[in-house]
């Protein structure tokens, strides 16, 4: 029984090792395949970053206007809540 137990431990250990190596290969293997160029030419990456920066810059004025609109709504709601608070609070607290 002890021999069988030891044999099973070795088999399971070997299988786990092989599964771990397969997982590492499956994770790291596509990384080399996804690279556009391995010769050290980085023009594709710099072109992509330039394009992304230009596209993000187009959204900046829109986001500024959106922030102004949100700030306006917050200011109006705050002003209304202060007005209601002043309107309905009693002056008896001052006495």
């Amino acid at each position: 029984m002890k021999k069988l137990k030891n044999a099973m431990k070795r088999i399971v250990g070997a299988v786990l090792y092989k599964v771990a190596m397969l997982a590492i290969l499956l994770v790291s293997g596509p990384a080399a395949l996804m690279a556009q160029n391995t010769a050290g030419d980085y023009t594709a990456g710099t072109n992509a970053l330039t394009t992304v920066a230009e596209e993000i810059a187009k959204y900046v004025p829109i986001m500024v206007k959106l922030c102004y609109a949100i700030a306006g709504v917050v200011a109006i709601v705050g002003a209304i809540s202060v007005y209601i608070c002043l309107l309905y609070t009693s002056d008896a607290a001052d006495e």
Side-chain angles (χ1 to χ4, degrees), residues 23-85:
I24 290 172
L25 287 174
L26 288 176
V27 170
S28 64
L33 297 175
M34 288 189 289
Q36 291 182 0
N37 194 354
T38 59
D41 184 20
Y42 300 113
T43 57
T46 55
N47 289 341
L49 287 175
T50 303
T51 304
V52 168
E54 290 171 356
E55 292 296 321
I56 289 175
K58 291 179 185 177
Y59 288 105
V60 170
I62 297 169
M63 293 306 296
V64 168
K65 291 176 184 174
L66 180 64
C67 288
Y68 287 156
I70 292 170
V73 169
V74 168
I76 290 171
V77 169
I80 290 172
S81 67
V82 168
Y83 175 74
I84 290 172
C85 183

